[in-house]
């Protein structure tokens, strides 16, 4: 196996242009599991862990958004001031693995792995993130909804890497929660992220682990936007309950070794109800 460790983005893209089938390695928390279990047999690896241009983040106060480099780790997502700017992303990061995994795993790796159970992905979907991609031929931007195309499948072209994700900073409440078979170091059985904006008057909710990729419950979003008191009154119990039922109706869960489809549908209903109340709490 050939292992290359470029120290600049330009060098990495040049290497990938010459070896487009190389495995790009960031934190390795997903890729090495597949290698260890024999699911992947890379002949060449390009480690991007030393590329400083991928590791930073920037808050644009004028545009009211945050650009997060693909090499930013889960641990960094949990730290201030980023955790205050993007609280749901910080909550999602906090649920990932152990401290060692959070120190190594990156937001870019979560995007490229594109598992339906990826913890950062429902938050990025709810925030309508823009994903920045680069190759030796140039750069392009995609909506996260176009970037994720299926189970562990993305719109990445050969020789292309994720450079950053840009998300808005919103005025409303936002949160993330998941259900698993235990309380820590667990892959999601079902997850949900909700973000709100009282100025634009919307509620966005995205679901993880209940479909082939992350699902936006857009019908439920449209329904709840007209039933929220945007002046700050608490959400009525019956409204929250129906919202949860409507969200669950848009899920597409399956039976597998972690859960049944019926339980997953019930779980996202409960998660949606609870997150709505928490996000809109006065």
């Amino acid at each position: 196996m050939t292992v290359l460790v470029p120290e600049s983005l330009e060098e990495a893209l040049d290497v990938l242009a010459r070896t487009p089938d190389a495995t790009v390695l960031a934190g390795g928390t997903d890729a090495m599991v597949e290698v260890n279990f024999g699911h992947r047999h890379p002949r060449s690896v390009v480690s991007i862990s030393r590329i400083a241009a991928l590791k930073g983040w920037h808050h644009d106060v004028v545009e009211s958004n945050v650009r997060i480099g693909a090499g930013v780790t889960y641990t960094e997502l949990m730290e201030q001031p980023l955790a205050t700017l993007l609280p749901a992303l910080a909550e999602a990061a906090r649920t990932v693995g152990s401290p060692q995994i959070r120190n190594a795993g990156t937001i870019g790796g979560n995007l490229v792995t594109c598992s339906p159970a990826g913890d950062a992905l429902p938050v990025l979907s709810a925030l309508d993130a823009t994903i920045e991609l680069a190759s030796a031929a140039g750069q392009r931007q995609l909506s996260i909804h176009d970037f994720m195309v299926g189970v562990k499948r993305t719109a990445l072209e050969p020789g292309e890497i994720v450079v950053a994700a840009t998300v808005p900073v919103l005025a409303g409440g936002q949160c993330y929660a998941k259900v698993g078979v235990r309380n820590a170091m667990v892959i999601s059985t079902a997850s949900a992220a909700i973000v709100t904006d009282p100025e634009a008057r919307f509620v966005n909710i995205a679901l993880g682990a209940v479909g082939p990729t992350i699902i936006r419950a857009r019908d439920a979003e449209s329904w709840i936007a007209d039933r929220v008191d945007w002046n700050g009154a608490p959400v009525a119990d019956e409204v929250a309950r129906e919202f949860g039922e409507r969200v669950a109706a848009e899920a597409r869960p399956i039976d597998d070794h972690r859960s049944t489809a019926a339980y997953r549908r019930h779980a996202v209903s409960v998660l949606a109800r609870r997150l709505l109340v928490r996000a809109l709490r006065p």
Side-chain angles (χ1 to χ4, degrees):
M1 181 190 301
T2 300
V3 179
L4 300 173
V5 189
E7 298 194 0
S8 71
L9 181 58
E10 292 74 17
E11 184 183 353
L13 297 179
D14 180 64
V15 169
L16 289 172
R18 289 184 277 109
T19 55
D21 61 340
T23 295
V24 178
L25 194 71
T29 58
D30 290 318
M32 291 310 300
V33 171
E34 295 190 355
V35 170
N36 290 339
F37 279 96
H39 300 154
R40 182 183 297 190
H41 303 87
R43 290 182 296 177
S44 58
V45 172
V46 177
S47 171
I48 58 174
S49 60
R50 294 185 184 176
I51 301 177
L54 301 179
K55 293 185 175 184
W57 62 271
H58 173 69
H59 178 203
D60 188 327
V61 178
V62 175
E63 296 294 331
S64 192
N65 62 33
V66 176
R67 181 182 182 272
I68 310 167
V72 172
T73 66
Y74 297 114
T75 296
E76 291 169 319
L77 293 173
M78 294 162 51
E79 296 172 345
Q80 297 295 349
L82 197 52
T84 294
L85 293 169
L86 304 172
L89 199 54
E91 286 188 355
R94 199 171 292 116
T95 73
V96 175
S98 63
Q100 294 90 336
I101 295 297
R102 294 193 292 270
N103 286 341
T106 65
I107 192 170
N110 210 216
L111 279 162
V112 173
T113 298
C114 202
S115 166
D119 290 300
L121 303 186
V123 182
L124 295 175
S125 175
L127 288 169
D128 292 317
T130 298
I131 310 305
E132 183 180 330
L133 312 174
S135 69
Q139 295 190 347
R140 63 184 178 126
Q141 294 185 338
L142 281 180
S143 162
I144 189 169
H145 311 300
D146 296 324
F147 177 78
M148 301 183 296
V149 299
V151 180
K152 296 189 175 184
R153 291 173 49 234
T154 73
L156 274 173
E157 299 289 345
E160 199 169 41
I161 66 171
V162 173
V163 174
T166 299
V167 294
V169 176
L170 302 178
Q174 54 180 271
C175 38
Y176 170 86
K178 72 181 183 182
V179 173
V181 296
R182 58 185 183 180
N183 287 331
M185 294 182 65
V186 63
I187 297 174
S188 298
T189 296
S191 65
I194 198 167
V195 302
T196 67
D197 191 330
E199 297 174 0
R201 298 196 171 192
F202 67 71
V203 175
N204 291 352
I205 183 164
L207 312 176
V210 292
T213 188
I214 305 303
I215 293 174
R216 278 285 293 274
R218 296 191 183 274
D219 289 343
E221 291 175 356
S222 298
W223 180 86
I224 193 63
D226 295 328
R227 288 161 178 82
V228 169
D229 183 342
W230 293 106
N231 293 318
V235 179
D237 291 343
E238 61 272 19
V239 171
R241 189 177 302 108
E242 183 168 351
F243 175 69
E245 293 170 357
R246 287 173 175 267
V247 168
E250 297 186 60
R252 290 181 285 157
I254 61 170
D255 294 329
D256 64 12
H257 63 286
R258 292 196 187 97
S259 180
T260 64
Y263 177 77
R264 283 189 162 104
R265 196 178 297 278
H266 170 72
V268 293
S269 175
V270 174
L271 289 174
R273 185 182 77 235
R274 292 177 178 175
L275 292 178
L276 179 71
V277 171
R278 181 151 65 96
L280 295 174
R281 184 174 295 150

